[in-house]
Amino acid sequence: MKTIGIDARFYGTQAKGLGRYTQELIKHLAQLDHDYAFKVFLNKQGREEYDVKDKRFEAVPFDVPWYGFAEQRAVPAALKKAGVDFAHIPHFNAPYFLSIPYV
C-alpha cells in the first residue's frame, strides 16, 4: 500500500480558504474506496479540529511554523521518517529540496 503525506498544518478554521480546502480534501478522500494510506501532518490547532476516523488516515503531530528555514529542513525529514511515497503540499511553501514526488 502506498502512503501519501499531506501537509495539513493549515487544516480547519485557522487559515480560512486553504484550511477549508485541506479539511474538505481529507474528508472526501476518506469517503473514497482506494488502497492508499495517509499521513496527515497537523499542528496543534489542526489536531484539535481533526475529526477523521478512517483507519487509513493517521494524524501526525507536526508543530513546525510556516515560512521559515526550519520548515525547509523539517518537512522533508518528517515525510521521510513517516515512509511517505508521495506528498501533497497545498500551499506554495513546498520545501526546495524535497526528494519524493509531490504536488
Side-chain angles (χ1 to χ4, degrees):
M1 179 181 302
K2 296 284 186 181
T3 301
I4 299 172
I6 300 176
D7 182 356
R9 291 176 290 159
F10 286 103
Y11 184 92
T13 59
Q14 64 187 315
K16 306 297 182 228
L18 190 56
R20 178 63 181 247
Y21 163 78
T22 306
Q23 185 176 18
E24 290 295 320
L25 173 70
I26 292 167
K27 175 181 149 186
H28 286 87
L29 285 171
Q31 294 173 356
L32 297 175
D33 183 26
H34 53 72
D35 292 326
Y36 294 101
F38 292 85
K39 304 281 181 154
V40 182
F41 295 85
L42 297 153
N43 62 16
K44 185 176 188 280
Q45 184 176 343
R47 290 190 305 275
E48 291 170 359
E49 295 184 39
Y50 188 73
D51 60 353
V52 177
K53 306 294 185 230
D54 190 312
K55 292 180 183 181
R56 298 171 297 178
F57 290 75
E58 178 185 345
V60 178
F62 193 66
D63 295 309
V64 175
W66 306 298
Y67 312 126
F69 289 114
E71 165 180 73
Q72 292 294 312
R73 291 189 315 265
V75 171
L79 293 171
K80 183 176 182 178
K81 181 179 178 184
V84 168
D85 299 298
F86 180 85
H88 180 46
I89 302 171
H91 194 39
F92 67 82
N93 58 340
Y96 191 69
F97 295 108
L98 195 54
S99 62
I100 62 170
Y102 69 94
V103 63

